[in-house]
Amino acid sequence: QVQLVQSGAEMKKPGASVKVSCKASGYTFANYYLHWVRQAPGQGLEWMGIINPNEGTTKYAQKVQGRVTMTRDTSTSTIYMVLSSLRSEDTAMYYCARGAGLPQTNYFDYWGQGTLVTVSS
Amino acid sequence: SYVLTQPPSVSVAPGQTARITCGGNNIGGKGVHWYQQKPGQAPVVVVYDDTERPSGIPERFSGSNSGNTATLTISWVEAGDEADYYCQVWDIISHHVQFGGGTKLTVL
């Protein structure tokens, strides 16, 4: 069965960086784009970006462009998201999600369990 | 960027029909997807490509999309349907995703 398993909760100080991982299993890793979506406490869903696991190409949301880097390791079917220059506003649950229906459409058919990142001095 | 507008809240009595809207400029020309999120859980897709229902999602969940409004309809609402619902679209040119602000469905 398809699974996306994320790394554990992180607590960081403002200005630091955080790296979150998402290990995929149960399907051919190269065949589906993967996304990062975050949700601040009590707030809605915010899309952060997409990675093509086959080529490693990425697209980022304008709000985090310049602070986010998404990479993948095909040998372990894992993607990574590094967010730098952390601010208190980056405190959120971070989800990886698989994109289905591409290229004409894209919806998220599987989600990771989420990784809570807390930014506090 | 493309803006999707949802009502913050919708309330409905059990057994009634809930309709949650998602407004956007010519949204009828895009594929709209809907997610249900319960407290402490990851979102789950309940409708994709405007009208399609994933396996395991009850037939009570349906979608439509035309003009400037997409709608998620939940028939015969149950207490277990109480959750936050989000609409989402994909921009095929920019490869960007946009979510609506979310609607909290309360079952009275």
Side-chain angles (χ1 to χ4, degrees), chain A residues 33 35 37 39 43-47 50 59-62 65 95 101-109 111-114, chain B residues 31 33 35 37 40-45 48-49 54 84 86 88-90 92-101:
Chain A
Y33 286 44
H35 302 248
V37 175
Q39 186 172 36
Q43 302 301 307
L45 302 172
E46 179 185 15
W47 179 77
I50 181 175
K59 292 270 190 179
Y60 303 133
Q62 191 170 3
Q65 179 88 40
Y95 295 101
L102 286 164
Q104 291 300 113
T105 186
N106 174 82
Y107 62 97
F108 304 115
D109 61 350
W111 296 68
Q113 83 275 20
Chain B
H33 320 296
Y35 301 88
Q37 187 181 32
Q41 298 182 18
V44 172
V45 59
Y48 67 95
D49 289 352
D84 294 325
Y86 295 90
Q88 176 247 313
V89 298
W90 161 254
I92 193 173
I93 297 175
S94 69
H95 283 195
H96 281 215
V97 167
Q98 188 64 46
F99 286 103

Side-chain angles (χ1 to χ4, degrees), chain A residues 10-100:
Chain A
E10 301 268 9
M11 184 165 288
K12 296 291 182 180
K13 294 191 181 301
S17 297
V18 67
K19 186 174 186 177
V20 182
S21 67
C22 169
K23 182 174 176 58
S25 62
Y27 72 98
T28 302
F29 181 66
N31 287 358
Y32 291 84
Y33 286 44
L34 287 161
H35 302 248
W36 289 97
V37 175
R38 70 178 178 179
Q39 186 172 36
Q43 302 301 307
L45 302 172
E46 179 185 15
W47 179 77
M48 297 182 68
I50 181 175
I51 183 165
N52 177 339
N54 196 29
E55 301 171 354
T57 51
T58 55
K59 292 270 190 179
Y60 303 133
Q62 191 170 3
K63 187 174 179 181
V64 294
Q65 179 88 40
R67 292 200 299 134
V68 70
T69 303
M70 297 177 187
T71 58
R72 96 295 191 207
D73 182 343
T74 56
S75 68
T76 59
S77 300
T78 302
I79 62 169
Y80 301 91
M81 187 278 299
V82 173
L83 188 61
S84 60
S85 303
L86 288 169
R87 314 158 182 163
S88 58
E89 311 89 87
D90 295 317
T91 293
M93 185 70 79
Y94 288 75
Y95 295 101
C96 60
R98 192 179 82 163

